[in-house]
Amino acid sequence: SPSSSSPLAKDIDGKSIAAAIRSELTQQISLLPPSTASSPPGSRPGLAVMLVGQRRDSQTYVRMKEKACHDCGMNSFLRVYDNVDGDVTEELLLNQISEWNDDLAVHGILVQLPLPAHIDEEVILRAVRPDKDVDGLHPANTARLFSTSTHAGAAKLNWKDFSSLPFHVPCTPQGCIELLDRIGVDVEGKNAVVIGRSNLVGLPVAMLLLHRNATVTIVHSRTRDIEAVVKNADVVIAAVGRAKMVPGSWLKKGAVVVDVGINSVEDATAKRGYRLVGDVDYDCAREICEWITPVPGGVGPMTIAMLLRNTWNSWKRKNGDSATAGAADDVASEAVEGEKQ
């Protein structure tokens, strides 16, 4: 719990942790041979992104993903369908996905959500090959996340090393767990409460906590006496999408809080007329918990970092770790030679 000299909780700085992860990826990718005109397709990791429609927030997210790819040395492929007259068909999108599924230069495919109302989201997401589904939303990847492999003879996975898993884990839930890892919080044997049961965050993050041997409770709109349940938690992950739904009084002294919510509330003093807040009342919570993610700057930056990592993992599965290990050995031996001189 917080010391008397520092009564307020420490921020879990997602921005700097995400930057560190992106730097690690950049370093690993830099060990690959330089890409030339004669390089075979797929010699560097590549992420393909599909954007349908003209939502400004989606356009912003896609630009950020494209820049992040370039910054760390990955290739990016973007297809934009303006859908001005609602003329984009499922067939058109499915054809593009099929093309990317077969493209050796593409290791990750991301369909920017939401899609326009006339397009069946599930049909499009299921069309992405599971090994290229870096969002982790394909039913095949979901099924593997939800398998605990406790029965005799089942292959045991190392859930403490995401890069060792043979499938893709959704980016935001993975980012939540990575934040806990980076600040040294071990959830084994602890009470973890997940607020929210969405397919995108609540359920997958609950499974990841369970795989780490936490005792997990999922709280939702029908839970009786939510306050009492949350008050028992050593770790709280809030992912419900309601501004300041969780007051500080619900939290146990010394708890660790990961706030996934991003909600805009009116604020006449802010330049844009609004500001972003989480699902937890940050100011009150800071006086009680030990660690907390700020909003913005907590979980948000981790999502793109995990997307890049999933794409890199996909490349490694295709090419084998030996490809990067060989390059790393060359760099290491050059460093040793340099020291000798």
Side-chain angles (χ1 to χ4, degrees):
S1 63
S3 65
S4 53
S5 60
S6 174
L8 294 179
K10 297 184 280 285
D11 273 351
I12 304 174
D13 187 353
K15 207 169 176 181
S16 66
I17 291 171
I21 292 166
R22 284 162 66 161
S23 173
E24 290 160 15
L25 290 171
T26 305
Q27 171 65 21
Q28 291 172 306
I29 294 166
S30 73
L31 302 178
L32 299 177
S35 194
T36 64
S38 60
S39 298
S43 57
R44 296 183 90 70
L47 174 67
V49 179
M50 175 182 283
L51 174 61
V52 186
Q54 298 175 297
R55 281 177 62 120
R56 288 205 178 161
D57 56 347
S58 291
Q59 291 169 340
T60 302
Y61 292 144
V62 165
R63 276 198 303 271
M64 286 164 66
K65 287 163 185 172
E66 216 178 1
K67 181 180 184 304
C69 276
H70 292 147
D71 287 350
C72 72
M74 289 186 186
N75 294 326
S76 75
F77 311 93
L78 175 64
R79 281 307 305 265
V80 179
Y81 302 90
D82 288 336
N83 193 43
V84 178
D85 304 312
D87 54 354
V88 171
T89 63
E90 278 182 18
E91 186 184 12
L92 186 68
L93 304 183
L94 290 171
N95 286 341
Q96 178 59 68
I97 287 171
S98 177
E99 200 179 296
W100 281 339
N101 279 340
D102 296 334
D103 189 339
L104 295 175
V106 173
H107 302 92
I109 298 171
L110 181 135
V111 178
Q112 184 65 44
L113 301 177
L115 291 170
H118 70 282
I119 302 287
D120 187 330
E121 219 164 74
E122 195 170 333
V123 167
I124 302 301
L125 294 177
R126 279 175 181 253
V128 177
R129 238 172 61 181
D131 61 317
K132 294 190 178 189
D133 163 42
V134 283
D135 243 356
L137 299 179
H138 191 283
N141 286 322
T142 302
R144 297 185 83 170
L145 174 62
F146 277 75
S147 172
T148 54
S149 304
T150 53
H151 57 282
K156 298 293 185 231
L157 299 175
N158 179 8
W159 288 97
K160 292 197 172 182
D161 178 10
F162 286 116
S163 64
S164 74
L165 300 176
F167 60 93
H168 293 299
V169 173
C171 300
T172 301
Q174 186 182 160
C176 293
I177 302 300
E178 188 71 26
L179 287 174
L180 296 176
D181 285 347
R182 297 269 170 159
I183 61 168
V185 172
D186 184 357
V187 300
E188 183 161 336
K190 291 185 177 160
N191 288 328
V193 166
V194 177
I195 305 175
R197 51 178 166 179
S198 74
N199 287 331
L200 292 177
V201 182
L203 292 181
V205 85
M207 282 309 300
L208 290 174
L209 290 164
L210 194 60
H211 287 308
R212 295 290 189 91
N213 298 316
T215 301
V216 184
T217 306
I218 300 174
V219 159
H220 47 78
S221 58
R222 299 289 187 273
T223 301
R224 291 181 185 172
D225 199 356
I226 292 181
E227 179 177 352
V229 178
V230 176
K231 194 99 174 174
N232 193 38
D234 305 301
V235 176
V236 176
I237 298 192
V240 79
R242 284 177 54 193
K244 297 188 180 184
M245 178 194 142
V246 181
S249 59
W250 285 15
L251 301 169
K252 179 190 203 174
K253 187 79 172 165
V256 177
V257 177
V258 176
D259 191 347
V260 185
I262 301 178
N263 313 286
S264 58
V265 295
E266 288 181 18
D267 182 352
T269 64
K271 191 176 175 184
R272 294 176 178 172
Y274 70 89
R275 62 192 168 89
L276 297 177
V277 299
D279 292 346
V280 178
D281 187 337
Y282 175 80
D283 292 327
C284 295
R286 285 181 79 204
E287 297 180 9
I288 293 154
C289 56
E290 183 170 5
W291 288 96
I292 186 169
T293 54
V295 177
V299 176
M302 295 296 291
T303 300
I304 290 181
M306 297 299 99
L307 174 69
L308 297 174
R309 188 163 74 179
N310 279 355
T311 306
W312 174 234
N313 287 343
S314 186
W315 184 94
K316 286 196 295 182
R317 283 182 213 130
K318 181 83 177 161
N319 293 276
D321 282 336
S322 56
T324 48
D329 289 343
D330 292 344
V331 171
S333 59
E334 281 172 23
V336 170
E337 287 303 314
E339 285 173 14
K340 285 179 182 172
Q341 296 164 10

